[in-house]
Amino acid sequence: MTDRRFFRQECYIAGEWVGPNGAAGDETVEVRNPATGEILGAVPNFGRDQTKRAIDAAYEAFPEWRSLPPQDRARYCMAIHDALMDNRDELGELLTIEMGKPLPEAIGEIAFGAAFFKWFSEEATRIYGDVIPSPWPNKRIILTKEPVGVVGAITPWNFPSAMLARKMAAALAAGCPIICKPAIETPFSAFAYGVIADDIGLPKGVLSIITGDPAPIADEFCENPKLRKITFTGSTAVGKGLASKALAHMKRVSMELGGHAPLIIFDDADLERAVEGAMISKFRNSGQTCVCSNRIYVQAGLYDEFAERFSAKARALKVGDGLESGIQQGPLITEKAVLKVEDHIADATQKGASVIAGGKRDHLGLTFFEPTVLRDVTADMKIMREETFGPVAPLIKFDSEEEVVIQANNTEYGLAAYVYTNDLGRSWRMIDALEYGMIAINEGVSSTPVAPFGGVKGSGQGREGSRYGLDDYINIKYALIGGLEK
């Protein structure tokens, strides 16, 4: 890396860098490059004590931060945006080294995260209250909006910079200090925000970043009365448990959980556009995204031709170390992730599916896996129920619109869905009928800071990004003013 100062192996707590020789002892966790297996470094394995310290500091910083004029909070957000963009090449390289995705994707993620700071810097000055027409002649009803308070954020490894940005930017803009707990597999992209916080002079305590065992850190988040809100991105199973604990203490929660996205291609679709969209949706980030297409439904008239073109594109993808030029798919994050992919493929083939592209570990070894396409997939296979989180695309043939809607909705998840059709009426019918929080028509990617990101059913609650993204960080206060008669 050109700028090694972004590579930190200490936690950022209350404006200070705290190493493993602090109050939590000497225990550390090694972090490896998934593309090479080499040890990159070791980060603190902190627990409740250091988490409490971070919460105490945030609680002390809250009164001044919330009272700061929104224009000033906006300037801090824009300063973070500028720092991310000015250093996106170095930060992208750091992200690729610890997570594995191709460097152009990683640099794109840094820019994507920066866009949230820009968006919320602008929204910080637009947190308007309201005046409600009073039913009484001598009284007035006024609504004001206030920051929730100290926020605890828990994020996964698949987008180690952008996932933090979506939460951090909204919290800071709303006037909330935030403690971030990144995934232990990818801590360095998170620590880079601490370096940036120092560079821009962010007040101490407004941002802390802590690594360690998720359970004690989450327990402190849930039980500490000074922390008022928890925002989590991760699996549905973990999210349900965390939300249950948090609600036992009446915490505000935002849950961005798992997905099992259908991608539906009708006979009247633009086939080439559908193939390209499916490639992006399925194989971006090696299929390790919550919004990637987990089930690709193709109407009978296009099924065979789509399968041929799509599998050819998948076989042509270049797999390798994300730092190498021209690489389109990096490694999976861990051996455990590879084992799950292999289990889903084995189950599907045992039950009648055929592998028409890939299907096994790449010749590079480690956690590299071939982009894989399965055809003749049926509803009784694991891959139709469980989130694979890997580069495996199952193809399912369908006949009618009514049939595919039932199949697409037959899941506990409801995050994202994709539809390819040139029939405008069908587009609207699918938008109405599909039980998902986000639906893309003739597009394979829909995420943007200006639109709300989130799902329904088992995929969570709350929204991130857009003007709705501030709502989960804000309390509404109602004031009744009487005694106005002469």
Side-chain angles (χ1 to χ4, degrees), residues 389-435:
F389 234 64
V392 184
L395 307 185
I396 309 100
K397 184 186 296 185
F398 74 93
D399 292 312
S400 70
E401 181 178 320
E402 293 75 18
E403 169 197 355
V404 77
V405 166
I406 292 171
Q407 292 181 27
N409 287 338
N410 186 25
T411 174
E412 68 170 307
Y413 301 104
L415 188 56
Y418 307 88
V419 177
Y420 280 81
T421 178
N422 283 327
D423 184 325
L424 181 59
R426 174 177 281 148
S427 297
W428 280 110
R429 290 194 300 273
M430 297 301 287
I431 290 170
D432 290 341
L434 292 173
E435 298 170 349

Side-chain angles (χ1 to χ4, degrees), residues 25 64 79 169 247 307 319 333 335 367 381 388 390 407 410 429 456:
E64 184 175 350
L247 289 173
V319 178
I333 189 68
E335 175 70 12
T367 60
M381 300 173 184
T388 305
Q407 292 181 27
N410 186 25
R429 290 194 300 273
V456 297

Side-chain angles (χ1 to χ4, degrees), residues 317-333:
L317 287 175
K318 188 176 180 181
V319 178
D321 187 328
L323 292 180
E324 296 177 8
S325 177
I327 293 300
Q328 296 165 292
Q329 180 182 294
L332 299 188
I333 189 68

Side-chain angles (χ1 to χ4, degrees), residues 48 54 68 118 122 154 180 208 329:
R48 294 192 72 147
L68 204 65
K118 184 175 189 297
E122 296 162 347
I154 302 174
C180 301
S208 288
Q329 180 182 294

